[in-house]
Amino acid sequence: MMYTIIDIETTGKGNKITEISIFKYDGTQIIEEFTSLVNPEIFIPVYITSLTGIDNAMVANAPTFSEIAKDILAITEDTIFVAHSVNFDYNIIRNEFKNIDIDFRRKKLCTVRLSRKLIPGHKSYSLGKICKALNIDINGRHRARGDAEATVILFKKLLDTENAETVFNDFLKKHSKEGTLPPHLPSAVFNKIPSKAGIYYFKNKKGKIIYIGKAKDLKKRVLGHFYNKTEKELNLCRETADIDFELSGSELIAFLMEDAAIKQHFPEYNQASKRNTKAYGISMFEDRNGIIHLVYNTLKATPNPLFIFYNITDCRQFLERLCTQFELCPKYCHLQEGVTHCSHYKIKTCHGICIEKEATNKYNERVQKGIKYMLEKSKNLVIKEKGRHSKEEAFVLIENNIYLGYGFIDKSEQVTVRETLENYLIPQKDNVDVQKILRRVSLAL
């Protein structure tokens, strides 16, 4: 069996190759080598230069990837592609070939995953740490040739390990997940993930949550990350060392759980749903002259809101429409502040309450109609969902258009009144993202 043991250096952002080193190895000795700087045709960031020592001047006259592509194809032909964290190197090289319309495919082996299996018990399996533990010198750390040469020595040690042949053959099987899983993720962790609805947490080596997702089928969705070849997914998978999960029973509750979890943990690889949007509420009060006011403010400063919005513009526009529809006064709807009487540029429906030309009771009748209209638009809703197992049901609770949370109930429990649900409720915060999720559901009901 022939192997090509490979290491690359890249630009970081953009993941363009700046250096590549390939050792062709027959299991006993190196029979060929190819090493070259590569002009990435994009700028090399300063932090990458400080790590690798490769700067823009060094690669200015180096060949581009397309100019050395035939050499890489030739040396790797009919060999097994070997690298430390193989999916990263393999997919970067594959993408470079894709850019020049060549479909590069090779069988592959990961020395991180092989090391975890054949020489277990080490605290870290990064190339620097595992080589130090095994007394392997790296002459030129973070340069392609130095790292590739150290990987050759590590690979030889792995080949000589007891049960190596069985492990290697298992890893090379067509349907083996070993070549797909992130290098630092134990296969036992992935195997525990069920094919059920829920949310999942990707964690790094320090146990920090770096990504949260949701799925109807957790195992299938998680596996999908490992097949995704985008730069973001490659970097995410490189950092993933553990995966945790929570069952939801249904896709809807998975959506809601995911939103809450992202806003709690703020994982670096999640972009959507991180924001905690400020909410606004419309409320009423009666002044000392008996006139009913409609007023809007932040939800924190609005006791007993009649209606809630997650955008100040939507809130004002709704109040303007209400004012027009029920012929109310812009001053007493607090669309104009600090004025003696209304003079709104757009709303001309006031009957004169602000200049004492209309009776208070007549004006208040229309305000009450507007309030009734708002309350009718508010929803009190219990959405029933599948539970996490066959003996359980789930629910989502909405009151006065406000999302209160979700819960799980044993099917043997008798729930006859809404108040009983509160005993099983897992309280959650309402926000604009949740409202979007629930709006899609309510349209389908």
Side-chain angles (χ1 to χ4, degrees), residues 263-276:
K263 287 181 169 63
Q264 178 185 351
H265 296 286
F266 286 84
E268 62 178 295
Y269 283 95
N270 285 96
Q271 294 302 318
S273 298
K274 278 190 179 181
R275 63 191 183 276
N276 279 302

Side-chain angles (χ1 to χ4, degrees), residues 164-184:
E165 185 177 353
T166 302
V167 171
F168 272 59
N169 288 336
D170 286 344
F171 276 39
L172 286 168
K173 285 178 182 175
K174 186 175 181 181
H175 299 293
S176 171
K177 296 290 187 298
E178 293 292 348
T180 305
L181 299 182
H184 301 292

Side-chain angles (χ1 to χ4, degrees), residues 204 221 242 352:
N204 64 16
R221 179 69 190 95
D242 191 15

